[in-house]
Amino acid sequence: MTRTPSLGAISPGLQRVAQLARDNPEMVFTTLAHHIDETFLKKAYELTRKDGAPGIDGKTGAQYATNLEGNLKDLLNRAKSGTYRAPPVRRAYIPKGNGEKRPLGIPTFEDKVLQRAVKEVLEAVYEQDFKDCSWGFRPGRDAHGALKALWDGVRGLGGCWLLEVDIRKFFDTVDHVHLRNILDQRIGDGVVRRLIGKWLNAGVMEGLELSHPQAGTPQGGVISPLLANVYLHEVLDTWFERDVRPRMKGRVFLVRYADDFVIGIEEEEDAHQIMGVLPKRFGKYGLTLHPDKTRLIDFRRPDRHTRLPGESGAEGPSSFDFLAFTHVWGRSRHGYWTVRQLTAKDRFVRALRKVVDFVREHRHMPIKEQHRLLCLKVKGHYGYFGLTCNMRRVSAFRKAVRYAWFTWLSRRAERRSLTWSEFDQLEKRWPLPPPRLPRSVFRRPARA
C-alpha cells in the first residue's frame, strides 16, 4: 500500500520534538507553532488532495494554487496572529451499506492545508504516546495491520471470548471539555490550541442553515482522525493497559482502528467483567455504547467449545465483522483450525453495486476506456480484500463484475444484443485481472 509521506519525517525540528516526547512522557509542549513556517505550509499544501470537493467558499485546489505563495503567506500570518477564522464545514451525506446516510463535513481547501500542518506537529508528540493496539489513521499503520493483529491475537489464545463494541455516533459526541482536558496533558502551545478550539467551534453549514454543535470533532477534516485517536487513547487504550489487563485472570488483547475495536479475552469471567465496566468507562467521557451492536461472542476454537445446551452466556462458536471482513473458524488445507477472514456480505454487495452503477452509466464509453477503469476497480478490490483464505469471495466478485459488464454492454442502444460468444472474444483482448490474494496473514504487516 502506498502511504502518504509525513511532514514529521521530513522536518528535523519535528524529529527533535518526537525525541523529547519519547524521552519525557509527562512533558507539556508549550512551543510548537514555530515549526509551522512558509516552507512547512508549502509541504502541507503538496500533501493535500487537490481534487477534493470544495468547502463553503467554493474554492478548489487549482484556484488556490494560482497565487500559492501569497495565499500561504497570508494564511501563516493569520494563523500566528490569531486572526484566522475557521470557516464552517459544508455538510454533505454519503450512503451507508444499510441504506442510511452518513454525514460528512467538507472544510475549505485552505482549512485542509492548515489542519494538515497542525496535525503533523501534533503527530510528532502523540505518535510517541499511542499504543500498539491502535491502528487507524497513523503513519505506517493501516487496516491490514489491524486485521493481522486480530488474527494473531485470536490464534495466540487458541480462540477466545470476543467483545465486539460499537460506539454510538462517536465523531458526533466527542465531548469538547474532556478533549481539551486530555490535550492539556501534552499540548500547551497557545497558537496550536487556539486553532484547535476554532475548528471545534467552527460550525456546520447545511444548505443555508448554520449550526454550532456543542460536541463532536470536524468530520471530514484532516485533523479529526488524530483528535479521535487522542481521545480514545485516553478513554480506552491507556485505561486498558493500566487498569484492565493487570486485573484479568487470563490473557487479553485489544485491537482498535479509529472508533472500531474488539477485545479478545481468554477467560469467560474476565469477559463478563470487562463487558460490565466498559459502558461506565465510556459514559464517564460522554460516550455511549450501542446496546444492540455491542455483544459478547464465544469465539473459542470449535474443537475446544464445551458449552452445554441451556448454559448462560454468549452463543458460539460464532462469527463477527471487523473492518469489512467476517471472521469465522475454518479448516486450513492441512486440516488445522484457523481463523478465516472473508469479505463481509454487506461490503461485497456494496462494492458490486458500485461497479454495476459504473458499467450501466458508462456503457457507451469506448471499450478500451471502460476496460481500463474496470481494471482499476477490480484491482482495488483485490488490494483490500485479497487476504489468505478469501479466494472464493474474491473470485465471486470478479465473476459478478464480468457478468455485469456483459449485461450492460449487451444493452448498448446502437447495436443488437451481445452474445456470450462475442463477449468471450472481446475478453481475449480486454481481460479483467484474474483473482489474486496479494496479502497474507502469515507475513508481518509492513511498517513505514
Side-chain angles (χ1 to χ4, degrees), residues 370-382 432-433:
Q370 284 190 50
H371 174 260
R372 184 184 71 83
L373 295 173
L374 267 181
C375 285
L376 290 176
K377 295 178 183 298
V378 171
K379 288 179 180 178
H381 188 86
Y382 296 167
L432 292 175

Side-chain angles (χ1 to χ4, degrees), residues 235-254 263-265 270-271 273-275 277-278 281:
V235 175
L236 177 63
D237 304 351
T238 301
W239 170 75
F240 184 83
E241 293 296 330
R242 182 190 63 224
D243 298 335
V244 176
R245 190 187 296 277
R247 290 176 168 82
M248 298 295 102
K249 294 181 178 179
R251 293 170 292 173
V252 293
F253 68 87
L254 166 67
I263 301 175
I265 310 146
D270 292 339
Q273 184 178 347
I274 294 174
M275 192 170 185
V277 301
L278 204 61
R281 174 66 182 180

Side-chain angles (χ1 to χ4, degrees), residues 14-25:
L14 289 188
Q15 290 177 10
R16 289 192 293 272
V17 169
Q19 186 63 50
L20 275 174
R22 191 159 45 248
D23 295 340
N24 303 275

Side-chain angles (χ1 to χ4, degrees), residues 315-341:
E315 298 180 358
S318 188
S319 65
F320 65 96
D321 288 357
F322 184 62
L323 298 181
F325 285 87
T326 297
H327 303 254
V328 297
W329 281 104
R331 295 280 192 177
S332 69
R333 291 182 181 179
H334 303 290
Y336 300 114
W337 285 108
T338 187
V339 177
R340 305 181 66 183
Q341 297 170 319

Side-chain angles (χ1 to χ4, degrees), residues 116-307:
R116 178 169 293 279
V118 172
K119 166 186 170 291
E120 297 292 342
V121 171
L122 294 177
E123 213 166 57
V125 176
Y126 283 109
E127 274 300 311
Q128 320 316 312
D129 297 345
F130 289 159
K131 307 294 185 183
D132 287 341
C133 61
S134 170
W135 290 91
F137 304 103
R138 294 182 56 192
R141 291 180 156 238
D142 57 19
H144 292 104
L147 291 166
K148 169 64 174 170
L150 176 57
W151 190 86
D152 285 341
V154 173
R155 293 263 301 173
L157 297 183
C160 59
W161 295 85
L162 195 132
L163 187 55
E164 182 185 19
V165 184
D166 182 271
I167 307 174
R168 177 178 281 172
K169 297 183 178 180
F170 169 73
F171 285 94
D172 294 330
T173 57
V174 170
D175 185 276
H176 290 177
V177 174
H178 285 304
L179 177 57
R180 291 189 180 98
N181 291 338
I182 293 170
L183 289 169
D184 285 341
Q185 299 172 21
R186 276 306 225 173
I187 309 299
D189 183 283
V191 172
V192 172
R193 291 299 301 272
R194 185 166 57 239
L195 287 171
I196 293 174
K198 289 181 178 182
W199 286 319
L200 292 176
N201 298 319
V204 176
M205 181 69 75
E206 187 166 357
L208 298 177
E209 185 176 344
L210 176 63
S211 61
H212 291 85
Q214 298 302 305
T217 61
Q219 287 193 60
V222 177
I223 203 168
S224 183
L226 176 61
L227 294 179
N229 273 335
V230 169
Y231 202 76
L232 287 175
H233 169 74
E234 177 66 24
V235 175
L236 177 63
D237 304 351
T238 301
W239 170 75
F240 184 83
E241 293 296 330
R242 182 190 63 224
D243 298 335
V244 176
R245 190 187 296 277
R247 290 176 168 82
M248 298 295 102
K249 294 181 178 179
R251 293 170 292 173
V252 293
F253 68 87
L254 166 67
V255 178
R256 180 175 68 81
Y257 188 92
D259 61 323
D260 293 329
F261 69 94
V262 292
I263 301 175
I265 310 146
E266 188 175 23
E267 300 292 335
E268 181 179 4
E269 182 180 344
D270 292 339
H272 289 289
Q273 184 178 347
I274 294 174
M275 192 170 185
V277 301
L278 204 61
K280 299 175 184 177
R281 174 66 182 180
F282 277 76
K284 179 181 177 181
Y285 288 87
L287 301 174
T288 306
L289 302 187
H290 198 294
D292 299 325
K293 297 179 181 179
T294 298
R295 58 181 185 140
L296 182 62
I297 304 161
D298 186 347
F299 202 67
R300 290 175 292 173
R301 213 171 76 181
D303 62 332
R304 297 179 180 176
H305 182 264
T306 58
R307 180 174 298 281

Side-chain angles (χ1 to χ4, degrees), residues 99-110:
E100 299 178 358
K101 292 184 177 181
R102 183 190 303 276
L104 179 69
I106 304 175
T108 64
F109 182 82
E110 181 178 68

